[in-house]
Amino acid sequence: MVNLGASSGKKSLNTVTLIFKLPYYTQWGQSLLIAGSEQALGSWNVKQGLSLSPVHQGNELVWSGRVSVVTGFTCEYSYYVVDDHKNILRSESGDKRKLVLPEGIQDGDVIEIRDWWQDASEALFLRSAFKNVIFNGTENAKRELQSASLNKSLDAEDTVVQFIISCPRLGAGSTVVVTGSNPQLGNWRAQDGLKLNYVGDSIWKANCLLRKSEFPFGPNREVDLDLSSSKPSRYILLSDGALRESPWRGAGVAVPMFSIRSSEDLGVGEFLDLKLLVDWAVSSGFHLVQLLPINDTSVHGMWWDSYPYSSLSVFALHPLYLRVQALSDAIPGDVKDEISQAKQQLDKKDVDYEAALATKLSIARKIFKLEKDKVLNSSSFKQFLSENEEWLKPYAAFCFLRDFFETSDHSQWGRFSQFSKEKLDKIVSEGTLHHDVICFHYYIQYHLHMQLSEAAAYARKKKVILKGDLPIGVDRNSVDTWVYPSLFRMNTATGAPPDYFDKNGQNWGFPTYNWEEMSKDNYGWWRGRLTQMAKYFTAYRIDHILGFFRIWELPDHAATGLVGKFRPSIPLSQEELLGEGLWDFDRMSRPYIRQEMLEEKFGSFWTVIAANFLNEYTKQCYEFKEDCNTEKKIIAKLKTSSEKSLWLEKEDSIRRGLFDLIQNIVLIRDQEDSTKFYPRFNLEDTSSFTDLDEHSKNVLRRLYYDYYFARQENLWRQNALKTLPVLLNSSDMLACGEDLGLIPACVHPVMQELGLIGLRIQRMPSEPNLEFGIPSQYSYMTVCAPSCHDCSTLRAWWEEDEGRRSRFYKAVVGSDDEPPSRCTPEVVHFIVQQHFDAPSMWAIFPLQDLLALKDKYTTRPAQEETINDPTNPKHYWRFRVHVTLESLLDDKDIQATIKDLVTSSGRSFPGKKVDGAEESGEKLAQVQLNGKA
């Protein structure tokens, strides 16, 4: 049907008036408008949308606007908060609203549409994690809505009220009724209330015919009618948002893919092991399994590649997680013997990354040679290749070139260092001598896809969410930087400023993003990543979500994370500094090195240091030599200098001393604009600052606070609101943000606005002046956890610091007694129960912390259960759970202990019964009129 909207000038068309109303409190300079799919509402051009006007009604500020349309009008629409120039400040969340006018409307009728702002938190339950997993299989049968005319002619005293509500959490066989203060709504009796009809997409509707004399009715959610108007509304479409239910809360377990141990694996967790983990999760009452990143990280060809956040490709899965036994149904006997032998050899306490990967690839090549023609010619493989060739072919070509040139540094690949489509086509074309090598990489990715897809489908069937991890960076020697070099700032590195994890900051080595370039195709690279993840996961964690507000950027010659700046950020200009009376920029931005400092730091050895690393540019004042004037140059010179025998036994302490010297500055000069400066983090800790005059100190203190905690807030908010909505709208997955570290004030409001679930770790409270978080005070839109992969386990944390343990025991447990030095199951139970009982939507526990509920699983030294040490950039990620999943499934006691914690806390669990039926099964949902509409 042609939808002419309000654009037609033909008088023969019947028209009606639409009046939109929405209660919403705005700030000064803000207003509301509607944009929609039809010309009457701007055809999605917000600047041409329908502007609304505010009117105070009681305690509410109600925005309204009217437009004339033809009687057959239908459209989609959304509300927007805009500034005076109609720039979007805030958008509604969730799906676009759909307007279908009631049947039976007549020329000249007035239809009033009363809406509620669609909040991001309400839209979460329409995400795939809930819709396709937890509440899957609970779809109600659609029922035809009664016609608006209710089978009678309307007279001048009649008004039709159409009740509309979203109920995404209701299960099959549910009934929704509206009760109210008049007979048509049952006089508050649920059994006599107005039954709503399910019309699809979690929406329930019903029509109710009322006489004008029956308005207003309530008294809780009052529905009134403007009888003073010359033509009162004949129809009121009363959209009441989402059903107000008690907050849904769930629980989950977190474990890295490589840490899982089963009787079938070859020294490392495998995708098919997830089926066993899901079974254990269900038995323990968990709705969620959370993993670390699972993408290929094979950059260096050694154990450094165990770092799961340094992707070789953001699309390819890691061959480490392949189950070679599942590659074929016809594996020869000698290969089966090799697999059995490898099982025994690789069954170690920790992951042997290099041996496990090499063994799997070696076995996979033998099976590939036997069945390559069968697999490569199969319809399922051809479909996989067709759907993934955009990333799969560059990935396979990269792996071939990496192995051919024996380096992932694509700048060393000669004529192949610059990627082009023509070169790619030649590398992957059939008929080349190396085509089998290319096809082998296709083959591995195909089987990884099939195995992970099988595990993901199993999890969905069991009503368990698989939660993935979206790393903030990619390795600088990766497929992505080779294919899309313009998307990255290759002369920089990503990291984090000093925080709880590392007082010297972190340098992850990833290039920072060129957001301006990424925006040109509406962040297509990011959208592709999320689309790929959504093939397997229904929820994901955004690693270092602060990076979407601002990233800690370091020069590529830095080895540590201390001397960086935020990008984007508003720098200190030379003009600004001169206006404050600061003029000696070289003094403040060059390493401040004096002879007495060298004597204090290096003792009698200072003369050797000075002779090898420094020049005396004026008496007792030094600067670094050209060959060691960066952190990376210092490291290189310490290892390669002909004089290295002089400091061989104290190289580490000398390196730290030289780093202290080169970091002894108060201002960082911009590499691209020498008239711009950035205050060095923790500048008051430097002797360069201490030796300044008092005026300069006071000015720098004020400018430091302004740079880090004031002037950037609006810039960072706007930056996040450009990028994060694109990620969230790229898939149907439930998004959680890792918001730990130095948190700008704008972060939590933006996350709340976008419906992003934050993270709360008890030992890292986001509240100022608190040493330990208080789980009972966490907000609903959070994930709470006693620890995470970036810090020590609960058991290790408890046992490593006696003073902190005593403070926790007094402040949190509420006891002045001496706490046990050992983290007993009773201590673990207390802390874990705090998190289960928290208001947070999700309580997600590292598997190590859960196993500590039973003495049997605490024989291993606690420190050995740590997954990552953020202070060590070359940490070996190799922790393996010391018990198999099969054994855990046999241990009914610990499953019962955990499930008791889930059930007693009121959290949801798979198979939970509500009123005699499975959760999200049949129940009566009563909508009372308790809030003015």
Side-chain angles (χ1 to χ4, degrees):
M1 178 170 60
V2 178
N3 191 350
L4 298 176
S7 63
S8 175
K10 294 183 180 180
K11 295 183 179 178
S12 60
L13 293 175
N14 294 333
T15 62
V16 295
T17 299
L18 305 181
I19 301 176
F20 293 91
K21 289 188 176 182
L22 180 86
Y24 190 94
Y25 274 103
T26 53
Q27 297 177 357
W28 181 260
Q30 297 179 345
S31 60
L32 263 70
L33 59 73
I34 300 174
S37 57
E38 300 302 319
Q39 187 174 345
L41 299 179
S43 300
W44 291 122
N45 184 338
V46 173
K47 292 186 183 295
Q48 295 179 14
L50 175 64
S51 295
L52 307 182
S53 301
V55 176
H56 282 280
Q57 294 183 2
N59 295 324
E60 293 181 328
L61 184 65
V62 178
W63 292 80
S64 64
R66 61 173 61 210
V67 62
S68 294
V69 299
V70 296
T71 53
F73 182 79
T74 62
C75 76
E76 293 184 338
Y77 69 100
S78 285
Y79 290 91
Y80 298 87
V81 180
V82 296
D83 62 18
D84 292 337
H85 302 287
K86 295 191 176 181
N87 297 309
I88 298 173
L89 301 176
R90 188 182 181 195
S91 306
E92 284 192 290
S93 299
D95 296 333
K96 304 297 184 187
R97 298 172 183 271
K98 296 175 182 177
L99 176 62
V100 178
L101 297 185
E103 295 179 14
I105 60 174
Q106 303 295 319
D107 183 34
D109 278 347
V110 177
I111 298 98
E112 197 172 308
I113 300 110
R114 301 184 185 182
D115 288 323
W116 287 92
W117 181 270
Q118 291 184 163
D119 190 78
S121 60
E122 295 177 354
L124 293 183
F125 294 99
L126 299 173
R127 294 278 179 175
S128 60
F130 293 102
K131 183 173 63 177
N132 299 337
V133 181
I134 293 177
F135 304 140
N136 187 32
T138 62
E139 182 81 353
N140 285 273
K142 291 185 181 181
R143 285 173 274 181
E144 186 176 346
L145 187 65
Q146 293 174 292
S147 76
S149 64
L150 302 177
N151 299 317
K152 74 179 281 291
S153 298
L154 302 183
D155 62 34
E157 291 298 308
D158 287 335
T159 296
V160 175
V161 178
Q162 184 178 101
F163 294 94
I164 308 167
I165 193 165
S166 173
C167 306
R169 290 163 54 185
L170 292 189
S174 297
T175 301
V176 179
V177 300
V178 178
T179 60
S181 60
N182 53 30
Q184 290 90 330
L185 299 180
N187 290 319
W188 299 115
R189 294 189 300 271
Q191 63 271 26
D192 298 327
L194 175 67
K195 287 188 177 182
L196 277 65
N197 300 300
Y198 183 66
V199 297
D201 295 329
S202 301
I203 302 297
W204 297 70
K205 293 183 180 181
N207 294 321
C208 183
L209 178 62
L210 297 167
R211 306 290 285 177
K212 288 186 172 60
S213 59
E214 295 179 284
F215 288 89
F217 60 90
N220 294 334
R221 182 184 287 111
E222 186 175 298
V223 180
D224 55 11
L225 183 66
D226 185 5
L227 298 175
S228 65
S229 171
S230 60
K231 191 159 189 178
S233 301
R234 177 59 62 91
Y235 296 85
I236 298 175
L237 308 188
L238 191 63
S239 179
D240 203 45
L243 182 67
R244 280 68 151 172
E245 300 181 77
S246 57
W248 185 95
R249 294 154 61 242
V253 58
V255 62
M257 189 69 250
F258 57 79
S259 298
I260 296 171
R261 186 188 294 266
S262 78
S263 61
E264 291 298 310
D265 70 53
L266 266 64
V268 65
E270 297 167 351
F271 287 146
L272 290 175
D273 289 328
L274 290 173
K275 295 168 73 173
L276 290 175
L277 182 59
V278 165
D279 286 339
W280 184 83
V282 171
S283 299
S284 302
F286 291 136
H287 261 309
L288 183 147
V289 167
Q290 177 173 320
L291 304 175
L292 293 188
I294 55 172
N295 294 111
D296 192 355
T297 57
S298 307
V299 175
H300 303 96
M302 58 178 294
W303 66 263
W304 288 1
D305 296 334
S306 66
Y307 181 27
Y309 288 89
S310 188
S311 307
L312 176 85
S313 165
V314 298
F315 297 98
L317 299 171
H318 206 310
L320 188 68
Y321 306 129
L322 183 72
R323 174 155 295 167
V324 293
Q325 303 96 304
L327 290 177
S328 173
D329 294 330
I331 298 176
D334 59 331
V335 177
K336 285 183 178 179
D337 292 342
E338 185 179 352
I339 292 172
S340 298
Q341 188 176 0
K343 266 190 194 178
Q344 296 178 1
Q345 293 174 343
L346 294 170
D347 187 21
K348 303 177 181 179
K349 182 178 74 173
D350 297 310
V351 176
D352 186 335
Y353 178 92
E354 294 174 24
L357 181 59
T359 300
K360 290 190 176 195
L361 290 177
S362 173
I363 293 170
R365 284 190 182 93
K366 294 175 183 178
I367 300 173
F368 171 72
K369 287 180 181 178
L370 296 173
E371 63 163 27
K372 64 180 179 181
D373 292 336
K374 174 186 173 185
V375 173
L376 299 182
N377 290 315
S378 67
S379 58
S380 61
F381 173 82
K382 289 179 179 179
Q383 181 180 352
F384 170 76
L385 181 59
S386 174
E387 292 175 353
N388 296 276
E389 62 181 349
E390 185 175 349
W391 66 264
L392 183 56
K393 289 183 176 181
Y395 165 77
F398 186 99
C399 291
F400 166 71
L401 292 169
R402 172 200 62 195
D403 298 341
F404 180 82
F405 288 102
E406 297 183 333
T407 178
S408 291
D409 183 355
H410 39 81
S411 67
Q412 306 299 312
W413 290 355
R415 66 189 182 93
F416 295 109
S417 61
Q418 302 295 319
F419 174 85
S420 74
K421 183 68 166 57
E422 293 73 24
K423 293 174 187 175
L424 174 66
D425 289 342
K426 289 181 180 178
I427 295 172
V428 302
S429 62
E430 294 185 33
T432 60
L433 293 175
H434 61 263
H435 190 60
D436 270 6
V437 177
I438 297 294
C439 288
F440 176 68
H441 293 297
Y442 295 164
Y443 170 84
I444 293 294
Q445 289 300 312
Y446 166 69
H447 278 288
L448 287 165
H449 164 74
M450 296 298 286
Q451 292 180 14
L452 181 54
S453 296
E454 180 181 333
Y458 186 82
R460 287 193 296 272
K461 179 182 175 183
K462 295 286 188 175
K463 297 188 181 299
V464 172
I465 294 166
L466 272 191
K467 182 181 177 185
D469 198 325
L470 183 75
I472 186 62
V474 300
D475 199 281
R476 64 179 55 251
N477 296 320
S478 65
V479 182
D480 302 277
T481 58
W482 180 52
V483 177
Y484 307 108
S486 64
L487 302 184
F488 305 91
R489 296 171 53 82
M490 296 298 289
N491 63 338
T492 66
T494 307
D499 58 12
Y500 174 92
F501 296 110
D502 193 337
K503 64 182 179 63
N504 293 312
Q506 299 175 59
N507 185 336
W508 303 322
F510 315 135
T512 57
Y513 295 120
N514 184 345
W515 289 110
E516 295 79 10
E517 188 67 24
M518 287 182 161
S519 69
K520 291 179 181 178
D521 67 348
N522 194 27
Y523 308 96
W525 182 76
W526 284 102
R527 288 185 287 110
R529 290 183 70 178
L530 271 296
T531 300
Q532 187 72 9
M533 281 189 76
K535 293 178 180 178
Y536 315 110
F537 300 105
T538 49
Y540 66 107
R541 167 189 178 272
I542 302 175
D543 174 43
H544 193 64
I545 197 172
L546 305 184
F548 292 91
F549 292 80
R550 83 294 183 272
I551 198 72
W552 187 244
E553 185 176 83
L554 302 149
D556 60 352
H557 56 67
T560 69
L562 185 60
V563 185
K565 63 181 176 67
F566 286 122
R567 177 176 287 274
S569 65
I570 303 168
L572 310 178
S573 68
Q574 187 168 298
E575 182 180 12
E576 181 181 6
L577 293 169
L578 287 170
E580 296 282 1
L582 302 182
W583 55 270
D584 195 348
F585 305 120
D586 280 350
R587 157 68 179 85
M588 292 182 286
S589 63
R590 292 171 60 188
Y592 180 69
I593 307 171
R594 299 295 181 264
Q595 182 173 317
E596 63 269 20
M597 295 162 53
L598 297 175
E599 293 172 351
E600 179 182 350
K601 192 171 290 291
F602 300 106
S604 60
F605 202 66
W606 80 268
T607 55
V608 176
I609 297 298
N612 283 276
F613 295 92
L614 305 169
N615 292 323
E616 188 175 16
Y617 64 89
T618 191
K619 189 172 182 181
Q620 297 190 349
C621 298
Y622 292 83
E623 64 183 2
F624 278 93
K625 296 177 183 288
E626 179 68 24
D627 65 349
C628 56
N629 62 357
T630 71
E631 292 175 353
K632 286 186 176 178
K633 285 182 180 179
I634 289 172
I635 292 173
K637 185 163 184 175
L638 282 169
K639 293 189 177 298
T640 61
S641 172
S642 59
E643 305 291 327
K644 66 179 181 181
S645 59
L646 296 173
W647 54 71
L648 200 57
E649 295 182 359
K650 42 190 173 182
E651 182 180 322
D652 287 347
S653 64
I654 290 174
R655 185 187 67 251
R656 287 194 297 271
L658 291 171
F659 277 11
D660 286 344
L661 293 178
I662 206 166
Q663 295 166 355
N664 193 26
I665 58 178
V666 293
L667 292 178
I668 301 167
R669 193 185 292 266
D670 193 294
Q671 289 182 298
E672 298 169 3
D673 186 342
S674 61
T675 66
K676 294 178 180 177
F677 299 87
Y678 307 88
R680 183 252 206 217
F681 201 90
N682 289 343
L683 56 79
E684 290 191 58
D685 294 344
T686 68
S687 58
S688 178
F689 178 87
T690 304
D691 287 357
L692 290 171
D693 61 90
E694 287 305 312
H695 169 76
S696 297
K697 288 180 183 178
N698 290 332
V699 169
L700 285 169
R701 285 191 188 100
R702 178 163 45 80
L703 292 177
Y704 177 90
Y705 181 87
D706 183 52
Y707 176 84
Y708 283 102
F709 303 107
R711 71 166 66 186
Q712 320 293 350
E713 291 295 326
N714 188 58
L715 173 65
W716 291 344
R717 170 185 163 81
Q718 294 304 318
N719 197 53
L721 289 175
K722 287 179 187 175
T723 55
L724 285 173
V726 176
L727 265 70
L728 300 179
N729 294 330
S730 296
S731 78
D732 207 17
M733 294 184 288
L734 180 69
C736 306
E738 182 263 290
D739 53 345
L740 304 176
L742 184 69
I743 312 293
C746 62
V747 170
H748 289 154
V750 167
M751 291 182 66
Q752 182 177 3
E753 181 175 330
L754 297 178
L756 279 159
I757 302 169
L759 177 61
R760 299 293 176 268
I761 305 293
Q762 188 170 26
R763 70 187 74 168
M764 292 177 262
S766 56
E767 302 86 353
N769 306 317
L770 270 185
E771 184 177 11
F772 312 109
I774 306 172
S776 63
Q777 296 180 8
Y778 291 160
S779 64
Y780 176 63
M781 290 289 287
T782 56
V783 171
C784 67
S787 71
C788 66
H789 67 272
D790 273 332
C791 57
S792 54
T793 61
L794 177 55
R795 200 157 61 94
W797 177 80
W798 179 270
E799 295 173 2
E800 67 193 7
D801 189 324
E802 180 181 354
R804 183 180 62 201
R805 181 169 66 237
S806 297
R807 294 192 301 274
F808 181 91
Y809 209 63
K810 183 173 184 178
V812 179
V813 180
S815 173
D816 291 323
D817 295 341
E818 185 74 19
S821 58
R822 178 174 164 268
C823 189
T824 63
E826 292 75 22
V827 170
V828 175
H829 193 280
F830 174 85
I831 296 174
V832 166
Q833 184 171 29
Q834 276 192 314
H835 290 75
F836 273 113
D837 291 343
S840 302
M841 177 187 285
W842 288 101
I844 300 177
F845 302 88
L847 182 58
Q848 305 97 298
D849 292 347
L850 292 169
L851 295 184
L853 286 164
K854 190 170 183 177
D855 257 330
K856 173 183 178 181
Y857 300 116
T858 62
T859 55
R860 186 175 185 173
Q863 290 296 342
E864 292 183 4
E865 295 184 331
T866 299
I867 294 168
N868 178 37
D869 175 7
T871 66
N872 179 9
K874 287 291 185 278
H875 176 75
Y876 195 168
W877 298 61
R878 63 186 313 194
F879 166 71
R880 289 190 82 194
V881 179
H882 55 292
V883 59
T884 66
L885 287 171
E886 290 88 350
S887 297
L888 285 178
L889 280 165
D890 288 339
D891 189 340
K892 304 304 180 185
D893 289 341
I894 193 164
Q895 293 170 45
T897 298
I898 296 170
K899 193 159 187 178
D900 284 346
L901 286 163
V902 177
T903 55
S904 64
S905 69
R907 291 187 178 271
S908 170
F909 56 87
K912 181 179 181 180
K913 303 293 181 181
V914 177
D915 298 331
E918 184 175 339
E919 182 188 42
S920 67
E922 180 176 356
K923 63 179 179 180
L924 175 71
Q926 182 178 359
V927 183
Q928 293 186 335
L929 301 182
N930 25 328
K932 188 170 182 179

